[in-house]
Amino acid sequence: IPAIALIDEIIYCGELMQKLKKDVEEKGTMIVMQNGPYPIDRINPALTMYHQTLKSYKTLIKQVTDLLPKDTNVEVEDGFDEF
């Protein structure tokens, strides 16, 4: 996948996680659901989706990071020595 496509997916995941997080903050981690005549507590589906999206987000970040050059010992001429 080209780097631009990865970055687009990272942005999408970030925006989606913000919406999911807002939903969890408003409704809580547990929600009440009707099971026939009985209410039951269950995990907010937005929380589950948030965690799944977070895993994808982390994988995408790693893929982009892996595209960066490996040589980190490159000296940058900042003019300090000439000062």
Side-chain angles (χ1 to χ4, degrees):
I1 297 177
I4 297 298
L6 290 172
I7 292 169
D8 286 342
E9 288 300 310
I10 290 169
I11 292 168
Y12 174 78
C13 285
E15 291 171 350
L16 178 58
M17 286 190 306
Q18 287 176 352
K19 292 175 185 175
L20 294 168
K21 186 176 180 179
K22 183 178 179 184
D23 183 274
V24 172
E25 288 171 347
E26 291 173 357
K27 297 177 183 172
T29 56
M30 301 295 289
I31 60 172
V32 177
M33 180 182 142
Q34 285 299 123
N35 186 13
Y38 306 103
I40 60 169
D41 288 336
R42 68 175 252 186
I43 295 175
N44 185 338
L47 181 61
T48 303
M49 194 170 176
Y50 178 87
H51 287 290
Q52 291 170 346
T53 306
L54 181 59
K55 287 179 187 178
S56 297
Y57 183 83
K58 288 179 178 181
T59 300
L60 290 165
I61 293 292
K62 183 177 181 337
Q63 288 175 335
V64 170
T65 303
D66 289 346
L67 293 174
L68 296 174
K70 303 297 182 227
D71 187 10
T72 58
N73 293 326
V74 177
E75 289 190 33
V76 177
E77 188 61 42
D78 60 3
F80 181 77
D81 293 333
E82 294 174 12
F83 180 69

